[in-house]
Amino acid sequence: MTTPRRRATPATPEDATETGVPAPGSGAWVVVPTYNEADNIRTISAAILESLPGATLLVVDDGSPDGTGTIADELGVADPRIRVRHRSSKQGLGRAYLDGFGVALGGGATVVVQMDADWSHDPATLPALIGPIVGGHADLVIGSRYTAGGGVVDWGIGRRVISRGGSIFARTVLRLQPHDLTGGFKAWRVATLAAIPFDGIHAGGYVFQIEMTFRASRAGARVREVPITFRDRRVGQSKMSRRILVEALLVVVTLRFDELRGKVTGRLAHGRRTARGEVAAASPVRDAAHDAPGAGPAATDGPSVGKGG
């Protein structure tokens, strides 16, 4: 369900500058999935909206037992830029993102950003992330740890090998140009995101990030990378596991095999719904009403937990 949206109010400094120029981030929706992020949600929300004061922040909470969803509701009551999508249970990062994407598309977003709630992705980078899209130079922008100027801190050697190795493997097998394919800090031009069929996208953490970039690239999207410094989560435990990575690598091989057999092309398969069609089929964003729990774009079953990293 989505928290009720307050009635429209006169423009504030968050909506426009004193000269009438739209505030940074106007038209952008920042989709942030959460599960047990009660210690982070207040501070990360404030930082996101400080960086993009004109944006809408959509928190997609998978029934966090620590009360993250309740805290997000309170934030939404205090700030009309914050929306909350409540889901009944933990169903995987990919499902949460697809659900949030559907809400953002239905809400009239022009740019959709995806990022973590745990401070691994620095909100201060948001203007640089959406810049190439706003400027008309890109359709998908990846916050990259593995391009010039990017990096990772607070990680052990094991996780570095897993993350970098996963990106190199996917890049080689799928013949993709971006260097960071497992990261989850991205900005999408709405037309590009809406053209990807949501049904059939795998729902896991790593595999979701890889497959979305793969499908966008094959559809002709202009993909750019901007350097970021990725920091391990400030509070809580990482949700990544080796099992998730192994399953993701298997899906990478499957994607390549399907492409060789002609099942994956740059065009949408006949009869498959695009994201726009998924939005129409899912519960729309409604003012002063709650959407049905768990409603949203479909995804095939994949790893139940995980994140880009």
Side-chain angles (χ1 to χ4, degrees):
M1 65 182 69
T2 307
T3 50
R5 190 173 185 177
R6 288 161 54 173
R7 292 180 179 272
T9 56
T12 66
E14 289 80 10
D15 303 316
T17 64
E18 293 181 357
T19 61
V21 177
S26 293
W29 281 56
V30 183
V31 179
V32 180
T34 58
Y35 186 78
N36 286 348
E37 297 290 355
D39 292 328
N40 290 314
I41 192 60
R42 289 186 179 89
T43 53
I44 195 70
S45 297
I48 289 170
L49 293 175
E50 180 180 0
S51 188
L52 294 180
T56 296
L57 169 60
L58 176 63
V59 178
V60 182
D61 186 67
D62 273 4
S64 297
D66 71 348
T68 301
T70 300
I71 296 171
D73 282 337
E74 295 170 355
L75 296 174
V77 170
D79 190 332
R81 296 173 295 173
I82 299 176
R83 310 290 301 280
V84 187
R85 178 77 163 177
H86 290 283
R87 290 157 53 81
S88 59
S89 63
K90 191 174 183 180
Q91 302 172 42
L93 183 70
R95 288 185 183 276
Y97 268 129
L98 292 178
D99 197 348
F101 290 165
V103 173
L105 291 172
T110 57
V111 177
V112 177
V113 176
Q114 59 177 86
M115 65 181 293
D116 295 340
D118 61 8
W119 288 95
S120 297
H121 302 145
D122 186 355
T125 310
L126 285 167
L129 193 73
I130 69 172
I133 295 177
V134 175
H137 306 300
D139 303 307
L140 167 61
V141 181
I142 300 172
S144 177
R145 299 157 293 182
Y146 306 132
T147 194
V152 173
V153 296
D154 303 326
W155 271 11
I157 185 64
R159 189 167 178 186
R160 289 174 184 266
V161 169
I162 290 173
S163 177
R164 189 64 181 266
S167 283
I168 292 174
F169 178 80
R171 187 169 185 255
T172 302
V173 172
L174 298 177
R175 299 182 302 166
L176 295 171
Q177 293 300 315
H179 296 82
D180 193 342
L181 293 173
T182 59
F185 196 16
K186 299 177 180 177
W188 295 84
R189 183 182 301 280
V190 159
T192 300
L193 184 60
I196 297 176
F198 281 2
D199 58 319
I201 294 292
H202 295 80
Y206 268 40
V207 70
F208 172 78
Q209 310 297 0
I210 295 169
E211 185 174 1
M212 289 293 284
T213 299
F214 168 73
R215 293 190 180 277
S217 297
R218 290 299 189 266
R222 297 168 298 168
V223 183
R224 301 289 184 270
E225 295 183 280
V226 298
I228 64 166
T229 298
F230 184 97
R231 299 181 181 278
D232 203 6
R233 59 180 300 124
R234 291 184 181 181
V235 180
Q237 297 180 340
S238 171
K239 302 176 179 70
M240 187 186 74
S241 72
R242 285 181 174 83
R243 178 182 64 83
I244 292 168
L245 178 61
V246 170
E247 290 178 305
L249 297 182
L250 291 176
V251 171
V252 166
V253 174
T254 300
L255 286 173
R256 180 58 178 153
F257 183 63
D258 285 346
E259 183 176 38
L260 291 174
R261 292 192 300 164
K263 288 190 174 183
V264 178
T265 68
R267 297 179 179 179
L268 299 180
H270 178 70
R272 298 190 69 184
R273 293 178 296 174
T274 65
R276 291 289 188 189
E278 295 285 0
V279 172
S283 297
V285 178
R286 293 192 285 265
D287 290 344
H290 290 284
D291 295 328
T300 58
D301 288 334
S304 60
V305 293
K307 57 174 281 185

